[in-house]
Amino acid sequence: MLYLIGLGLSDEKDVTVRGLEAIKGSDRVYLEAYTSILGVGKERLEAFYGKDIIVADRDMVETESDDILANADTLDISFLVVGDPFGATTHADLLLRADALKIPYTVIHNASVMNAVGAVGLALYNYGQTVSIPFFTDSWRPDSWLERVRENARLGLHTLCLLDIKVKEQSEENLARGRKIFEPPRYMSVPTAVSQLLSLLEEDAPSTDSTPAPEALNPSTTLAISLSRVGDPSQKFVSGTLEELSKLDEDAFGGPLHSFVIVGNRFHALERDFAARWAVDRENWDKVSNGVYGVRD
Amino acid sequence: MLYLIGLGLSDEKDVTVRGLEAIKGSDRVYLEAYTSILGVGKERLEAFYGKDIIVADRDMVETESDDILANADTLDISFLVVGDPFGATTHADLLLRADALKIPYTVIHNASVMNAVGAVGLALYNYGQTVSIPFFTDSWRPDSWLERVRENARLGLHTLCLLDIKVKEQSEENLARGRKIFEPPRYMSVPTAVSQLLSLLEEDAPSTDSTPAPEALNPSTTLAISLSRVGDPSQKFVSGTLEELSKLDEDAFGGPLHSFVIVGNRFHALERDFAARWAVDRENWDKVSNGVYGVRD
């Protein structure tokens, strides 16, 4: 049996009881280590499970899936994924390969940022599509995600923005020379992501002086709520306008992982008050909520 | 401390290790019992936790929250929610009340259908807003959710459709007479939900004979994937056109809870093949995927 097990958001104790039992009963345990990170290292997991863990990078999962699945018709294999197994990527390749080899599989779900984002208090029903914001480079400023934010905003929907993670990346030089030397991991912070967003907005046609509306993304009248390390005891939320968030120091958010929500117009008084507790400037938060978003008590 | 703890999707072992520790250490344990159900009863949970559980219906949570929070400044209180604590409703009222009483709270997340829907293999990034489909009555056929499905479809996005749950409902007569007698719980099935959807489509202006497109909801050319008891060992997925799903017997889906996904146009070959395994009619699934949705290998 192949077990695909979500580890949840923060540390070794976020696994479910069902998941822990499956891991403890497994003959081999893999940890998928390229779409997210836990707040703890592999050693903490190994000590808690009483099992050795094989770290599976993207290369291994995509090109050596038959090694992962070896003998899973008679042995139990656990494949661990931070968050939920279907959160960042569906792992459909691996599961279809298991099917082809007549290996049964069981999925053990867990929280991922895709539903834990509910913790900022906006109704999950009113989120549109999720976007990922990639790191800009000097020569590459991908912006297709911005149109998706706008699609959501036009419908009054919130957007969960996930921020880039660079794990096991090679420098251009090392890549060109075929050297398997990897750069240190990089995790995008909220100020970086919001600054990238604002720089794209600046490039657009200059805004006319019409009344700002929530469906028009604007530095001073679009509200956002950031999440750092959601689900961890050290989690932190910050709410404010895009401009306010972009000007904060990275220390205000703490370590990775960061994400943020762009607030759409389906925004209610209870949600305003819930998120006001984390506002950079509470007076401005209420002013924009009521004056621009039209929130009524 | 108030602990808001997600129980996950299926049974007593879907709680996280962190959640279980909090429950075992709590002085009082409440179970929120009106937005979803587990596959097991309160007694199984009590035996597993070694704790008595107080069932909290909507009335209690909304009007007696101070009883729930009583002494939570010195005692530990667990408030259990099926799925994730912020899934079906944000419980912001309860948390803001805790804040007002200077009671700290900790949220322990878990899987909910909002992210476990990933198990059907469609990328979670490409879902739009989620809708809830209410039971129709003879005199009331609410349809505002259908416009939201259309908003998603026009953007090529999938829609997760959650199905109505009637728990502790009173008949009109008992309500009028002020008698607290409750009807047996009702859970909407996939055939009922899809039939309601199709009946609304029939009322619309008759479709012209233009080429069917995925953004136009149509009984025979819109694809859907149903989920029954997702996360439970007995979970079942069925994929097909709306028409195909509406014609199946309820037994084909098994017991509650049911939900389904209306497939949008951001639909890829791997996703087609993943869901094809559950197709009512595999040939037709591939035909519509390729011919109407334009999926290319």
Side-chain angles (χ1 to χ4, degrees):
Chain A
M1 174 73 80
L2 171 68
Y3 289 97
L4 211 69
I5 302 173
L7 295 186
L9 296 160
S10 163
D11 71 20
E12 70 277 15
K13 291 190 174 176
D14 285 322
V15 71
T16 65
V17 173
R18 183 199 300 274
L20 183 60
E21 288 180 357
I23 297 168
K24 283 183 176 285
S26 285
D27 300 283
R28 292 198 310 276
V29 180
Y30 296 88
L31 172 64
E32 187 261 64
Y34 58 90
T35 57
S36 190
I37 55 159
L38 277 185
V40 297
K42 161 180 116 118
E43 295 69 26
R44 257 272 295 263
L45 299 181
E46 288 179 324
F48 188 66
Y49 305 149
K51 290 274 172 186
D52 288 337
I53 290 175
I54 304 158
V55 173
D57 60 18
R58 189 186 297 269
D59 225 31
M60 184 192 284
V61 176
E62 291 181 355
T63 65
E64 300 165 31
S65 60
D66 280 10
D67 291 348
I68 293 172
L69 296 171
N71 309 113
D73 49 343
T74 53
L75 302 179
D76 283 338
I77 311 298
S78 283
F79 184 83
L80 313 182
V81 183
V82 175
D84 184 76
F86 294 88
T89 173
T90 62
H91 295 100
D93 271 322
L94 181 66
L95 297 182
L96 285 176
R97 185 68 190 143
D99 256 14
L101 296 170
K102 307 231 182 292
I103 293 167
Y105 67 84
T106 295
V107 175
I108 300 179
H109 289 284
N110 211 320
S112 63
V113 67
M114 305 292 265
N115 71 334
V117 66
V120 303
L122 302 173
L124 283 179
Y125 291 81
N126 291 330
Y127 281 76
Q129 58 200 313
T130 298
V131 303
S132 288
I133 303 185
F135 276 116
F136 286 0
T137 67
D138 292 342
S139 57
W140 192 57
R141 295 163 57 84
D143 62 358
S144 61
W145 54 273
L146 182 56
E147 181 50 29
R148 300 191 164 199
V149 176
R150 290 190 201 279
E151 288 170 347
N152 290 339
R154 281 192 284 265
L155 295 173
L157 300 172
H158 318 305
T159 305
L160 170 60
C161 301
L162 303 176
L163 308 190
D164 207 355
I165 295 176
K166 295 279 191 200
V167 179
K168 273 203 146 183
E169 298 279 324
Q170 289 164 279
S171 68
E172 282 185 25
E173 189 187 339
N174 284 326
L175 192 67
R177 291 171 184 252
R179 292 191 297 221
K180 290 233 164 188
I181 299 172
F182 302 104
E183 302 299 301
R186 291 170 68 206
Y187 306 100
M188 190 185 287
S189 71
V190 170
T192 299
V194 177
S195 298
Q196 287 190 182
L197 168 59
L198 295 181
S199 77
L200 290 176
L201 295 182
E202 270 172 28
E203 286 171 14
D204 285 359
S207 60
T208 60
D209 54 358
S210 59
T211 314
E215 62 270 24
L217 299 176
N218 183 295
S220 60
T221 60
T222 296
L223 297 175
I225 309 172
S226 77
L227 305 81
S228 319
R229 303 170 307 289
V230 59
D232 189 84
S234 74
Q235 76 178 9
K236 184 159 186 195
F237 304 150
V238 182
S239 55
T241 64
L242 292 173
E243 198 163 48
E244 285 169 348
L245 293 186
S246 75
K247 286 183 175 163
L248 291 177
D249 196 88
E250 298 209 353
D251 295 343
F253 303 91
L257 299 175
H258 293 186
S259 55
F260 70 99
V261 178
I262 298 176
V263 180
N265 202 28
R266 295 192 195 161
F267 181 47
H268 307 291
L270 185 62
E271 296 171 324
R272 174 200 62 201
D273 296 343
F274 196 73
R277 298 174 297 156
W278 315 305
V280 177
D281 175 342
R282 177 151 192 169
E283 199 179 318
N284 196 43
W285 175 263
D286 286 338
K287 192 178 131 200
V288 175
S289 296
N290 301 339
V292 180
Y293 282 76
V295 174
R296 295 285 166 267
D297 285 294
Chain B
M1 174 73 80
L2 171 68
Y3 290 97
L4 211 69
I5 302 173
L7 295 187
L9 296 161
S10 163
D11 70 21
E12 70 276 16
K13 292 190 174 175
D14 286 322
V15 71
T16 65
V17 173
R18 184 199 300 272
L20 183 61
E21 288 180 355
I23 297 168
K24 283 182 178 286
S26 285
D27 298 284
R28 292 198 310 277
V29 180
Y30 295 88
L31 172 63
E32 188 261 65
Y34 58 91
T35 58
S36 188
I37 55 159
L38 277 185
V40 296
K42 160 180 116 117
E43 295 69 26
R44 270 265 289 274
L45 299 180
E46 289 180 322
F48 188 67
Y49 305 150
K51 289 275 173 187
D52 288 336
I53 291 175
I54 304 158
V55 173
D57 60 17
R58 187 187 298 268
D59 225 31
M60 184 192 282
V61 176
E62 292 181 355
T63 66
E64 300 165 30
S65 61
D66 280 12
D67 292 349
I68 293 172
L69 296 171
N71 308 114
D73 49 344
T74 54
L75 302 180
D76 283 338
I77 311 297
S78 282
F79 185 82
L80 313 183
V81 183
V82 175
D84 184 75
F86 293 89
T89 174
T90 62
H91 295 100
D93 271 321
L94 181 67
L95 297 181
L96 284 176
R97 185 68 191 143
D99 255 16
L101 296 170
K102 308 232 182 290
I103 293 166
Y105 66 85
T106 295
V107 175
I108 300 178
H109 289 285
N110 210 320
S112 63
V113 66
M114 305 295 265
N115 71 334
V117 65
V120 303
L122 302 173
L124 284 179
Y125 291 81
N126 292 329
Y127 281 76
Q129 57 200 313
T130 298
V131 303
S132 288
I133 303 185
F135 277 115
F136 285 0
T137 66
D138 292 342
S139 57
W140 193 55
R141 295 161 58 84
D143 62 359
S144 61
W145 55 273
L146 182 57
E147 181 50 29
R148 298 189 165 200
V149 176
R150 291 190 199 280
E151 287 170 349
N152 290 338
R154 282 192 283 266
L155 295 172
L157 300 173
H158 318 305
T159 305
L160 169 61
C161 301
L162 303 177
L163 309 191
D164 205 355
I165 295 176
K166 294 281 190 200
V167 179
K168 273 206 147 184
E169 297 279 323
Q170 289 165 279
S171 67
E172 284 185 25
E173 190 188 336
N174 284 326
L175 192 65
R177 292 171 184 252
R179 291 192 297 222
K180 290 232 164 187
I181 299 172
F182 302 104
E183 302 299 301
R186 290 169 67 206
Y187 306 101
M188 191 185 287
S189 70
V190 169
T192 299
V194 177
S195 297
Q196 288 190 182
L197 168 58
L198 294 182
S199 77
L200 290 176
L201 295 182
E202 270 172 28
E203 287 170 14
D204 285 358
S207 60
T208 60
D209 54 0
S210 59
T211 314
E215 61 270 23
L217 299 177
N218 183 294
S220 60
T221 60
T222 296
L223 297 175
I225 308 173
S226 78
L227 306 80
S228 319
R229 302 170 307 289
V230 60
D232 187 84
S234 74
Q235 76 178 9
K236 184 160 185 194
F237 305 150
V238 182
S239 55
T241 64
L242 292 174
E243 198 163 48
E244 285 169 349
L245 293 186
S246 74
K247 286 183 176 164
L248 290 177
D249 195 89
E250 297 207 354
D251 295 343
F253 303 91
L257 298 176
H258 293 187
S259 56
F260 70 98
V261 178
I262 297 175
V263 180
N265 202 29
R266 295 194 195 159
F267 181 48
H268 306 292
L270 185 61
E271 296 172 323
R272 175 197 62 200
D273 296 344
F274 196 72
R277 298 174 297 155
W278 314 306
V280 176
D281 175 343
R282 177 150 192 168
E283 199 178 317
N284 196 44
W285 176 262
D286 285 339
K287 192 178 132 200
V288 174
S289 296
N290 301 340
V292 179
Y293 282 75
V295 174
R296 297 282 167 269
D297 285 294

